[in-house]
């Protein structure tokens, strides 16, 4: 594997209508792979710069030569992930940021022309590569799971009627797993696209006065990709299994459990209202 | 005065309260705050019906609205001003509405609006703060402002509001007339106040104070019968871990004993509104908590024993008789001070409950064990809880937890061996450790449980290493060490080598190459492993001189690796100072020894 095993990319989106109507100023600048931020309370202060593996300037529009399109993001990040998966490694990508920052757009994107996000593009290329394969000795299988973590409960998005809370268990050989999570076999990109669509519709999206659509759950889309090589001479088979995990996290402004009254426990200086959280507070003390 | 349609006011207010209490998940999924917004509309209507706020209240300067505003009244003799007359009544009623509006806005994430309403509420109540009708509301409003400011990460402001509530409560309780009854709800408000303060102190890193307030919260829950036994028990047991980390074993024992007693009440006490558990989950939860409480007890026994070992060991980890005598002399002083320490500590329960807790406490020592007998008692108690914990934390389903329990069991044996004087018996204890750890390495998938696997391999290797040293010491005492014991020593050596090698191999990359630069988190164990491998090769007993030479060469190779690596990576040198020194010595001595050997071989 080349270079570092963890890469960090940052992306900035265009203003939305509310920001435009308030004549907001853009305090982010990008140059190469570094991002700098201006202090709006003190514009004379020098901007602070941070280096990342990738800094994606998507604040303007495709006409701007500096603009980072969905395609560009996929080519940099998604393609490499797929390559590693074919080599037999497990890969994972997290999208982190506040509600409305554009996580779901980057991960899933939209159905319109050239607005597909990382996940659909990755799945599409996965099947292209599988179908392009001419080697008789190789055979492939693809299975997907899609789950949501909301209010400390795990829900199967591919089987939302299963109202039960799925338990997370550990098996000595299989490792950690979610009990009874659907794992569906798919044979084409359209299969995956349909499942993703159905799963997305089942996700919990709620509206309050403060946010139009506030995404309150974490969603984990997992592709289990198995490559079997059958050696005709020796008549032996070898198998490589890789897991591709694609995670769309809930709005980071409420990092831990979301939704339920009084069960939040953020890292910040928040106070939990209900005595049902006494246990968590004591646990935190015991860990000091 | 405006004619207030009282019936309508009451009806709307009750409806608003009912809506406020609707649980969020009962709202439509896409509108989680629907009931709150409806409640808010009703509250605004009630507010309008009540009429404008009394005028003189509005003229007060804003400077008096801060958290310290109540304080100046506390220095003066308590003025319990009852809200009598229509003006006062209206002020209080409006205050109630402002309070509920404030909480409503906070619950729907509109902090600024929430703050405004709560501050207005306090302003309206200021004069009647210490009266029977208003005290509870005042404290609740301040508590909520404390929570609000903590959301804004202004923890000192939160602290000020909450401490003001605490002071107000104490002031009120001091001054209250005996005929006024303490309502259950009011006491609950104060319990919450203590709980919020515990969290504030935690964020301010005043951990002892935070633990004290958690302890008080638990105590009050018991006193006011506002608890669910399973939940209370696990909280008390968890608090014991805090005390164990601070080496306050008496307090830890008290928490654990109380946890046992209260947990035993399960099934006899009905759930209160503070209990969140869903119906179907209760039996499983009961067993899980039982296992978790058992694990807290294991840590108690283990830490107490290890603490004793630490204070009585010499520089090679053996029992130092002088230190032991010193501690024995100290014991009398500790027993004398026991009563005074106990009086200062927060005690749970009175009467029957107190007796039940004492009955459990009496069976367990809180003092550091000074000899094998005392250590064995703690060991047996710890082992009892190991079996209890393993009932729930089975390997299929709870791999990490199960292994931690087994590791604790192994640690119990290891620390007991420290107190054991007979070498054969010590060997047997290490053998037990190996027997419980070895199966784990076979069953675990190294890909998923890399860290745990490494820990176990390292521990098994070290156990074999200790066993080997013990057998060598036993052999040294015999006049004629027979071939049987020599074989045993060599077998133990081989086993230790096997596991150290497995551990070192786990550091290799997918192409089986040993890393050029060893990661910081495995640096010390990796270096120690290399050192011990070197030493082990030097200790293989063989009559064949050729073999002996080979072993010495391998031994030298490993000592050289350590010296070379530490030269290239100075940070490693800091991690293993002692072993590095010894390695350097061996690197200079071994070649000569090997040369002498070769010459001797050539001559024969």
């Amino acid at each position: 594997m080349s270079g570092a095993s963890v890469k960090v990319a940052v992306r900035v989106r265009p203003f939305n209508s509310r920001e435009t109507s308030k004549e907001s100023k853009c305090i982010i600048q990008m140059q190469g792979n570094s991002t700098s931020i201006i202090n709006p309370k003190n514009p004379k202060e020098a901007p602070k710069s941070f280096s990342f593996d990738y800094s994606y300037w998507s604040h303007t529009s495709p006409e701007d030569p500096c603009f980072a399109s969905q395609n560009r993001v996929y080519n940099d990040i998604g393609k490499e992930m797929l390559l590693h998966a074919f080599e037999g490694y497990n890969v994972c990508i997290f999208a982190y940021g506040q509600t409305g920052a554009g996580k779901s757009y980057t991960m899933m994107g939209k159905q319109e022309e050239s607005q597909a996000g990382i996940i659909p593009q990755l799945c599409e290329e996965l099947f292209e590569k599988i179908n392009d394969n001419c080697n008789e000795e190789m055979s492939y299988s693809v299975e997907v799971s899609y789950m949501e973590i909301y209010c400390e409960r795990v829900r199967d998005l591919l089987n939302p009627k299963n109202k039960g809370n799925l338990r997370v268990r550990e098996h000595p050989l299989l490792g950690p797993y979610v009990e009874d999570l659907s794992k569906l076999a798919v044979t084409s990109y359209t299969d995956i696209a349909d499942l993703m669509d159905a799963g997305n519709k089942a996700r919990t999206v709620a509206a309050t006065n403060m946010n139009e659509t506030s995404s309150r759950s974490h969603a984990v889309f997992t592709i289990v990709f198995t490559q079997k090589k059958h050696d005709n001479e020796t008549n032996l088979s070898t198998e490589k299994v890789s897991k591709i995990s694609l995670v769309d996290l809930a709005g980071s402004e409420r990092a831990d459990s979301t939704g339920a009254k009084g069960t939040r426990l953020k890292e910040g200086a928040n106070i939990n209202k209900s005595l049902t959280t006494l246990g968590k507070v004591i646990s935190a003390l015991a860990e000091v | 005065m405006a004619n207030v349609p009282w019936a309508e006011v009451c009806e709307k207010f009750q409806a608003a309260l009912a809506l406020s209490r609707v649980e969020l998940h009962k709202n439509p999924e896409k509108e989680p705050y629907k009931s709150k917004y409806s409640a808010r509309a009703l509250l605004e209507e009630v507010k309008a019906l009540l009429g404008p706020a009394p005028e003189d209240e509005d003229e007060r300067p804003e400077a008096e609205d801060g958290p310290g505003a109540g304080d100046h009244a506390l220095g003066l003799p308590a003025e319990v001003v009852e809200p009598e007359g229509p003006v006062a009544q209206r002020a209080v009623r409006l205050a109630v509405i402002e309070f509920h509006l404030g909480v409503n806005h906070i619950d729907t994430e509109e902090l600024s609006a929430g703050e405004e309403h709560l501050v207005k509420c306090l302003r309206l109540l200021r004069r009647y703060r210490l009266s029977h009708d208003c005290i509870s509301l005042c404290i609740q409003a301040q508590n909520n402002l404390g929570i609000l400011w903590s959301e804004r990460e202004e923890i000192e402001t939160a602290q000020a509001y909450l401490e003001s509530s605490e002071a107000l409560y104490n002031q009120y309780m001091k001054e209250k007339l005996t005929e006024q009854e303490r309502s259950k709800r009011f006491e609950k408000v104060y319990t919450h106040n203590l709980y919020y303060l515990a969290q504030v102190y935690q964020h301010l890193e005043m951990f002892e104070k935070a633990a004290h307030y958690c302890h008080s919260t638990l105590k009050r829950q018991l006193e006011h019968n506002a608890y669910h036994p399973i939940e209370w028990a696990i909280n008390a047991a968890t608090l014991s871990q805090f005390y164990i980390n601070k080496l306050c074993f008496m307090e830890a024992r008290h928490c654990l004993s109380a946890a046992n007693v209260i947990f035993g009440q399960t099934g006899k006490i009905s759930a209160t509104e503070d209990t969140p558990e869903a119906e179907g989950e209760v039996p499983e939860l009961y067993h899980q908590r039982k296992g978790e409480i058992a694990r807290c007890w294991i840590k108690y026994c283990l830490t107490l024993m290890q603490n004793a070992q630490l204070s009585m060991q010499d520089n090679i980890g053996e029992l130092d008789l002088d230190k032991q005598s010193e501690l024995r002399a100290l014991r009398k002083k500790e027993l004398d001070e026991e009563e005074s320490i106990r009086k200062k500590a927060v005690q749970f329960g009175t009467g029957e409950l107190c007796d039940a807790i004492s009955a459990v406490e009496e069976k367990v020592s809180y003092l550091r064990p000074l000899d094998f007998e005392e250590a064995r008692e703690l060991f047996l108690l710890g082992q009892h809880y190991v079996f209890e914990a393993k009932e729930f934390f089975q390997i299929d389903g709870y791999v990490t937890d199960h292994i931690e329990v087994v590791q604790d069991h192994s640690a119990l044996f290891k620390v007991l061996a420290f107190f054991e004087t007979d070498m054969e018996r010590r060997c047997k204890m290490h053998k037990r450790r190996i027997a419980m750890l070895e199966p784990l390495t076979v069953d675990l998938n190294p890909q998923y449980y890399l860290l745990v696997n490494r820990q176990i391999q390292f521990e098994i290797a070290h156990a074999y290493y200790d066993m080997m040293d013990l057998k060598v010491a036993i052999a040294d005492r015999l006049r004629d060490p027979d071939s049987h014991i020599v074989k045993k020593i060599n077998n133990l050596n081989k086993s230790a080598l096997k596991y150290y090698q497995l551990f070192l191999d786990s550091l290799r990359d997918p192409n089986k190459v040993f890393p050029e630069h060893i990661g910081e988190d495995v640096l010390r164990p990796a270096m120690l492993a290399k050192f011990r491998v070197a030493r082990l090769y030097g200790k293989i007993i063989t009559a064949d001189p050729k073999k002996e030479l080979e072993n010495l060469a391998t031994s030298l190779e490993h000592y050289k690796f350590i010296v070379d690596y530490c030269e290239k990576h100075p940070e490693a040198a800091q991690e293993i100072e002692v072993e590095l020194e010894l390695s350097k010595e061996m690197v200079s001595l071994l070649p000569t020894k090997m040369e002498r050997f070769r010459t001797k071989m050539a001559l024969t």
Side-chain angles (χ1 to χ4, degrees), chain B residues 80-93 124-125 127-135:
Chain B
V80 183
V81 180
E82 295 293 335
E84 275 153 13
V87 172
Q89 295 270 335
R90 182 137 54 96
V92 173
R93 285 171 189 162
L124 286 163
L125 289 177
R127 222 187 255 167
Y128 318 108
R129 179 179 55 249
L130 281 167
S131 72
H132 174 67
D133 287 335
C134 300
I135 178 96

Side-chain angles (χ1 to χ4, degrees), chain A residues 11 18 41 157 166 195 242 269:
Chain A
R11 193 178 188 193
R18 185 163 166 269
K41 291 188 188 160
L157 288 174
L166 305 179
L195 286 174
S242 38

Side-chain angles (χ1 to χ4, degrees), chain B residues 263-280:
Chain B
F263 190 78
Q265 287 178 354
T266 314
K268 296 171 197 151
I269 300 211
S270 59
T272 69
E273 66 218 57
D274 289 320
T275 60
E277 281 100 49
E279 271 306 304

Side-chain angles (χ1 to χ4, degrees), chain A:
Chain A
M1 263 202 320
S2 64
S5 48
V6 178
K7 288 197 175 162
V8 183
V10 71
R11 193 178 188 193
V12 64
R13 63 160 171 72
F15 281 146
N16 59 28
S17 46
R18 185 163 166 269
E19 289 156 353
T20 313
S21 66
K22 288 194 163 188
E23 295 184 7
S24 309
K25 299 236 176 328
C26 181
I27 56 171
I28 302 285
Q29 292 165 316
M30 286 180 172
Q31 181 86 322
N33 63 3
S34 55
T35 300
S36 40
I37 181 164
I38 303 166
N39 182 353
K41 291 188 188 160
N42 187 5
K44 293 208 183 116
E45 208 181 289
K48 293 199 162 49
S49 278
F50 302 90
S51 282
F52 297 95
D53 292 288
Y54 303 101
S55 287
Y56 291 120
W57 179 253
S58 307
H59 180 66
T60 47
S61 64
E63 285 77 54
D64 179 357
C66 297
F67 183 79
S69 63
Q70 295 279 68
N71 255 330
R72 160 100 173 271
V73 174
Y74 176 74
N75 284 334
D76 287 340
I77 294 177
K79 272 202 191 313
E80 195 178 352
M81 281 179 74
L82 198 58
L83 199 64
H84 292 321
F86 269 91
E87 287 170 358
Y89 291 103
N90 293 334
V91 288
C92 179
I93 176 168
F94 282 88
Y96 179 85
Q98 280 188 301
T99 301
K103 300 184 297 295
S104 300
Y105 181 73
T106 299
M107 294 298 277
M108 272 297 172
K110 295 199 178 146
Q111 296 216 339
E112 284 125 57
E113 180 68 39
S114 71
Q115 295 213 49
I118 296 179
I119 298 177
Q121 288 192 65
L122 187 135
C123 295
E124 192 163 10
E125 196 177 344
L126 172 66
F127 278 104
E128 266 174 34
K129 282 182 142 96
I130 290 175
N131 293 330
D132 283 348
N133 169 55
C134 308
N135 187 347
E136 276 180 0
E137 294 187 325
M138 295 295 300
S139 66
Y140 305 93
S141 71
V142 182
E143 291 165 299
V144 298
S145 322
Y146 198 6
M147 68 175 170
E148 173 183 72
I149 303 172
Y150 177 53
C151 292
E152 313 257 291
R153 295 182 124 87
V154 181
R155 241 175 97 222
D156 186 348
L157 288 174
L158 298 181
N159 185 11
K161 295 228 169 41
N162 180 3
K163 279 285 173 191
N165 171 33
L166 305 179
R167 280 201 318 180
V168 178
R169 293 172 61 103
E170 289 175 311
H171 188 270
L173 289 172
L174 305 174
Y177 66 98
V178 178
E179 205 177 26
D180 292 338
L181 183 66
S182 315
K183 214 159 124 187
L184 304 177
V186 289
T187 52
S188 68
Y189 172 61
T190 1
D191 281 350
I192 285 194
D194 290 341
L195 286 174
M196 266 196 282
D197 230 23
N200 286 337
K201 290 202 173 79
R203 278 193 71 180
T204 308
V205 175
T208 68
N209 279 1
M210 294 302 282
N211 311 290
E212 253 185 20
T213 48
S214 100
S215 188
R216 294 164 165 267
S217 60
H218 308 298
V220 183
F221 190 80
T222 312
I223 303 171
V224 179
F225 177 48
T226 310
Q227 305 171 76
K228 283 201 188 78
K229 184 169 183 177
H230 183 90
D231 190 332
N232 283 324
E233 279 179 31
T234 62
N235 210 28
L236 291 170
S237 287
T238 51
E239 195 178 270
K240 262 195 290 200
V241 183
S242 38
K243 251 195 196 167
I244 305 171
S245 307
L246 306 148
V247 189
D248 184 5
L249 293 169
S252 60
E253 76 278 8
R254 46 193 73 255
D256 284 286
S257 56
T258 59
K261 173 179 81 162
T263 57
R264 274 194 284 154
L265 185 69
K266 262 166 68 166
E267 263 178 34
N270 265 349
I271 292 179
N272 296 278
K273 271 189 97 160
S274 165
L275 276 167
T276 55
T277 54
L278 177 57
K280 283 191 179 171
V281 174
I282 295 179
S283 294
L285 269 180
E287 278 164 33
V288 166

Side-chain angles (χ1 to χ4, degrees), chain B residues 389-445:
Chain B
K390 275 165 58 170
E391 268 173 36
F392 182 79
F393 293 109
Q394 297 172 8
I395 193 153
D396 187 351
Y398 301 97
V399 175
T400 320
D401 295 304
H402 176 92
I403 289 179
E404 200 182 296
V405 173
V406 175
Q407 283 175 316
D408 281 348
H409 197 183
S410 166
L412 281 168
F413 269 110
K414 186 173 177 186
V415 72
L416 184 63
F418 169 79
F419 291 92
E420 173 60 76
T421 44
D422 179 295
M423 287 195 283
E424 277 292 355
R425 283 205 287 263
R426 284 174 86 172
C427 258
K428 286 207 172 75
M429 290 178 193
H430 292 302
K431 199 165 179 199
R432 285 290 300 273
R433 292 174 59 202
I434 291 166
M436 68 178 76
L437 291 169
E438 265 183 337
L440 294 176
T441 57
V442 175
D443 294 334
L444 286 184
N445 184 331

Side-chain angles (χ1 to χ4, degrees), chain B residues 48-83:
Chain B
L49 286 172
L50 286 174
E55 275 168 17
D56 52 350
E57 297 300 328
D58 285 349
E59 279 170 22
R60 297 248 175 143
E62 276 178 29
E64 298 208 1
D65 286 337
D71 292 357
H72 68 265
L74 298 175
L76 304 166
E79 283 174 33
V80 183
V81 180
E82 295 293 335

